Amino acid sequence: MHPTPTPCPLGPRSARGVHLTELLVVIAVLAVLLAASWPALQPLLLRQRADALQLTLHASLSGARSEALRRRELIGLCASVDGLRCSDDWSAGWIIYRSGDQRREPESPEAILSNHTGRSDISILARASSGRPRLFFQADGRSPGANLTLRICAGRQLHGKLVVNNGGRTRSERSNRNLPC
């Protein structure tokens, strides 16, 4: 004798999963919510990008000092648009390079230790009382000359500063006030 099949409590075929119509409604609601909140997210995203750039630049400054100590030679760091030569636009990016025995630009592409690109929506302004456009770390880690201040600007407001003192140490500051850049 064969056992009698028991009927399925939910009917012959119960629906499993999500129907296409329900999925489309959820996607439409999420799209409306995202579109409504997007303008409010823009300043937050800009601040996050500025934070990331400031941390990257701080790491580059510390890394250049470490390379000078490790290699026991003069290491340069300067703004660079093309990743090969020094320029005045820190916002476009910067390079770290072996300077040899004199404070000059990199002599060849082989002298460049690292190249970092900037961001078009965040500006970096370099200021030193001596007006020096480049930064050098000596074999003992010092950076002689006047302190160099790199101002990070997000939009038209000051986001933070990086200050390199004569001892070669870098100090990072974040601006919590709405100061113009």
Side-chain angles (χ1 to χ4, degrees):
M1 295 208 87
H2 296 291
T4 313
T6 57
C8 184
L10 299 175
R13 294 197 137 201
S14 61
R16 293 184 185 188
V18 180
H19 289 282
L20 180 61
T21 309
E22 294 169 335
L23 184 62
L24 290 175
V25 168
V26 169
I27 290 173
V29 168
L30 287 175
V32 169
L33 289 174
L34 182 62
S37 64
W38 187 252
L41 290 175
Q42 290 301 318
L44 175 67
L45 291 173
L46 186 61
R47 282 194 307 273
Q48 292 299 322
R49 289 181 191 133
D51 277 342
L53 186 69
Q54 185 169 347
L55 287 171
T56 302
L57 185 53
H58 192 163
S60 293
L61 292 165
S62 298
R65 183 175 189 264
S66 294
E67 280 296 312
L69 288 167
R70 186 177 73 81
R71 293 175 182 264
R72 307 302 276 160
E73 66 181 348
L74 193 63
I75 299 293
L77 188 137
C78 67
S80 179
V81 174
D82 60 4
L84 298 171
R85 292 179 299 275
C86 293
S87 70
D88 294 331
D89 187 9
W90 283 86
S91 303
W94 58 91
I95 55 174
I96 299 171
Y97 60 95
R98 298 173 69 190
S99 184
D101 56 352
Q102 295 183 356
R103 295 179 182 173
R104 59 178 173 239
E105 290 194 21
E107 291 182 348
S108 68
E110 291 78 27
I112 296 172
L113 300 174
S114 67
N115 174 24
H116 299 273
T117 56
R119 295 194 55 93
S120 60
D121 55 349
I122 299 167
S123 60
I124 303 172
L125 308 171
R127 301 256 194 261
S129 57
S130 63
R132 64 179 172 163
R134 291 179 226 122
L135 185 64
F136 292 95
F137 292 99
Q138 296 178 167
D140 61 0
R142 290 184 300 126
S143 178
N147 289 354
L148 177 69
T149 302
L150 296 161
R151 299 167 53 108
I152 313 295
C153 303
R156 294 186 177 140
Q157 295 183 339
L158 178 65
H159 180 78
K161 296 179 186 176
L162 293 169
V163 180
V164 182
N165 66 18
N166 293 357
R169 304 228 186 251
T170 303
R171 180 180 78 238
S172 182
E173 300 174 5
R174 183 158 185 216
S175 176
N176 294 327
R177 295 173 273 158
N178 292 330
L179 299 174
C181 207

